[in-house]
Amino acid sequence: MKKTVISAITTALVVGAASTTFAAANPFTDVPSDHWAYDAVSQLAADGVIEGYGDTTFQGDKNITRYEMAQMVAKAMAKSNSGNVNAADKALIDKLAAEFSDELNNLGVRVSNLERNADKVKWNGEARYTYTSTRDKSATKDKVNDDELLLRLEPSAEINNHWHVNARLDASTDLAKDSGNDNHGSSQDTDVSLKRIYADGQYGTTNIKLGKLPQQLDSDLLFDDEISGASVTTGKDLKVTLQGGRYDLTDDTNNTQVANVVGANGNDTADMASVGLQYGLGKLDMGASYHHLTSDNFKNYVGYKTSGSASDEANIWAVNGKYTFDHNVSLGGTYAENTEADSYEKAGSVELAYKGAQPENQGTWGIYTAYRHLGQNVALDPSYDGAWAGTKGWEVGTNYTLAKNTVASLKYFNGEKLDNSKDAEKLFGRVEFKF
């Protein structure tokens, strides 16, 4: 670790808590006043965090030892204990103290077990409001409006240098009904569910996931869900993914065909095995995958093996590609087909996107336009917020970062149902507060 890196870290800890507005006079002869780090180095020296060398030099490009870094952390800790730092700087000091706890103990600086583990558990999440207005001319009620509030928590805990445990917990409520839904048809004040919990291991270029984990292949077009099982992904530019487990068909929220027949044969899940290749280098990204699912429920799907005996399998192959022209414009497409289905067996999407909202950068924005064709016997649960399974048509959308970690999105889909060619339309709006 170099001193230039340490300066950047400790500046956030000390300069923000400095008692003076401007940096003090710089005591180092090798840091001129026009150097990018001049103010930071001067302030760190004034606060006693860094001392330099006896010849009045700083030697910012010289490697330092962990012991030397621990000495600087100890001085930052002393400043923190005096109460002259804000909460964000105190959190950074605690992380550094946990990292260099052994060296600090050798220096006689006490670091408690709580401080040692302060950076091992991280919490991310979001609170969001979503409004949708769906018009389906083939439905009994051709217009449905929904308002939903959702709180999502995503903790991650470090086990060791290779393994983490990740989880996702969602709590949602339907504002129109002032209730949630427990996925079995009964209403309750709030629907709270553990969506994911899995161990995530990294060994070089090989990643292993075990538990209830997000789908690793074709999550946009086909499966916006989790799988209970395991996945292995290995490779750098060319990645190979193997995935297997149980796929819960009741997780589907968009495909009414699936929802109506699920459980008809006492089996709400499908056995699932997948393999995929993904190649990414420079501006080009492309891949292919194959999925095999088995469930008695497939026998009840409309348009599923109408000739001959009904099939309890889904054999789905998919291809995808994306080209990024520059930092702002990208064109991507994906296509999939279920060879076991006689109808509604094809799905595809082509999307042109410009920029995109970045939650950490206020004022950033993006727009896109897309054409989607989502056959419901292959696109079992697509993730698109506009088009849904069993429809085809055009979708446009935009997003904008209103303030740091606050993003607003607006999307509109206009098309038709695949089974009867009647109009299908959706307006989607969302505001997300990320933390």
Side-chain angles (χ1 to χ4, degrees):
M1 187 178 290
K2 294 186 176 181
K3 274 196 175 177
T4 51
V5 178
I6 300 306
S7 295
I9 297 174
T10 53
T11 295
L13 306 179
V14 181
V15 173
S19 58
T20 56
T21 303
F22 301 99
N26 180 23
F28 305 120
T29 58
D30 59 345
V31 184
S33 59
D34 60 350
H35 192 277
W36 67 269
Y38 176 83
D39 288 344
V41 171
S42 300
Q43 190 62 64
L44 291 171
D47 288 335
V49 176
I50 58 175
E51 297 177 353
Y53 293 86
D55 59 355
T56 71
T57 62
F58 177 59
Q59 300 184 28
D61 292 327
K62 182 179 180 180
N63 291 337
I64 66 171
T65 65
R66 287 181 62 89
Y67 183 79
E68 290 173 317
M69 178 59 192
Q71 289 179 311
M72 287 188 278
V73 174
K75 293 173 182 177
M77 289 175 66
K79 189 173 184 66
S80 172
N81 292 333
S82 68
N84 292 327
V85 298
N86 58 38
D89 291 343
K90 179 64 167 63
L92 286 173
I93 293 173
D94 290 342
K95 286 188 176 183
L96 287 172
E99 171 64 26
F100 294 94
S101 58
D102 292 337
E103 289 82 4
L104 288 168
N105 284 334
N106 291 334
L107 289 172
V109 179
R110 179 180 175 275
V111 180
S112 69
N113 288 334
L114 179 60
E115 290 169 326
R116 286 172 181 264
N117 295 322
D119 64 341
K120 292 186 180 295
V121 179
K122 297 180 174 64
W123 287 85
N124 295 309
E126 64 177 297
R128 74 189 191 197
Y129 166 75
T130 303
Y131 170 81
T132 58
S133 179
T134 305
R135 293 172 174 82
D136 183 351
K137 295 297 184 180
S138 62
T140 303
K141 185 178 181 181
D142 67 358
K143 181 179 179 180
V144 177
N145 297 332
D146 286 315
D147 295 88
E148 182 194 57
L149 284 177
L150 180 140
L151 174 65
R152 170 169 291 166
L153 299 177
E154 295 185 303
S156 175
E158 177 184 337
I159 300 174
N160 53 45
N161 291 336
H162 294 288
W163 287 90
H164 288 74
V165 172
N166 302 303
R168 171 180 286 183
L169 182 67
D170 285 358
S172 62
T173 185
D174 186 336
L175 295 181
K177 302 176 183 177
D178 194 26
S179 65
N181 191 287
D182 63 2
N183 289 331
H184 298 286
S186 62
S187 296
Q188 49 192 16
D189 290 340
T190 301
D191 174 19
V192 180
S193 57
L194 182 62
K195 295 294 186 179
R196 300 173 182 174
I197 181 165
Y198 61 96
D200 191 319
Q202 191 71 39
Y203 293 88
T205 59
T206 299
N207 178 261
I208 305 169
K209 291 181 173 65
L210 306 168
K212 188 171 184 179
L213 52 114
Q215 291 275 0
Q216 299 299 292
L217 297 166
D218 301 311
S219 58
D220 290 334
L221 181 66
L222 304 180
F223 312 107
D224 183 26
D225 280 320
E226 287 74 30
I227 181 174
S228 296
S231 74
V232 178
T233 299
T234 186
K236 188 178 180 181
D237 296 331
L238 177 63
K239 295 183 181 295
V240 180
T241 297
L242 300 175
Q243 172 185 272
R246 299 279 285 172
Y247 174 52
D248 187 357
L249 297 173
T250 61
D251 280 350
D252 181 273
T253 57
N254 294 318
N255 188 350
T256 55
Q257 175 172 290
V258 175
N260 288 336
V261 301
V262 80
N265 290 285
N267 180 10
D268 293 341
T269 60
D271 294 322
M272 183 177 188
S274 307
V275 58
L277 298 174
Q278 197 69 30
Y279 176 77
L281 186 63
K283 298 181 177 182
L284 178 64
D285 193 80
M286 58 185 181
S289 60
Y290 172 77
H291 308 274
H292 176 76
L293 296 89
T294 304
S295 172
D296 286 339
N297 284 298
F298 293 134
K299 297 178 180 179
N300 300 295
Y301 286 7
V302 177
Y304 212 83
K305 281 295 183 184
T306 55
S307 60
S309 59
S311 175
D312 63 352
E313 296 182 344
N315 291 311
I316 301 170
W317 60 269
V319 293
N320 68 81
K322 183 178 181 179
Y323 187 81
T324 303
F325 295 93
D326 54 31
H327 294 298
N328 296 326
V329 181
S330 65
L331 178 64
T334 182
Y335 176 83
E337 185 171 336
N338 181 358
T339 59
E340 291 296 311
D342 286 339
S343 56
Y344 316 126
E345 77 280 13
K346 297 178 181 180
S349 173
V350 178
E351 181 172 313
L352 178 66
Y354 177 73
K355 292 187 176 180
Q358 302 168 4
E360 68 277 9
N361 294 324
Q362 180 181 359
T364 56
W365 60 279
I367 57 175
Y368 75 89
T369 182
Y371 182 81
R372 321 226 195 256
H373 180 111
L374 306 177
Q376 58 264 44
N377 283 334
V378 57
L380 299 183
D381 189 16
S383 66
Y384 309 118
D385 295 317
W388 63 95
T391 66
K392 67 177 180 179
W394 289 93
E395 182 178 315
V396 296
T398 183
N399 50 26
Y400 181 80
T401 303
L402 302 170
K404 185 176 181 179
N405 296 326
T406 303
V407 179
S409 303
L410 183 64
K411 304 178 183 182
Y412 175 71
F413 168 74
N414 188 288
E416 63 182 45
K417 296 294 292 294
L418 295 177
D419 56 356
N420 55 24
S421 299
K422 291 188 176 181
D423 291 345
E425 188 178 8
K426 181 189 285 187
L427 178 65
F428 173 95
R430 173 174 290 168
V431 179
E432 300 169 89
F433 304 91
K434 299 179 180 292
F435 54 87

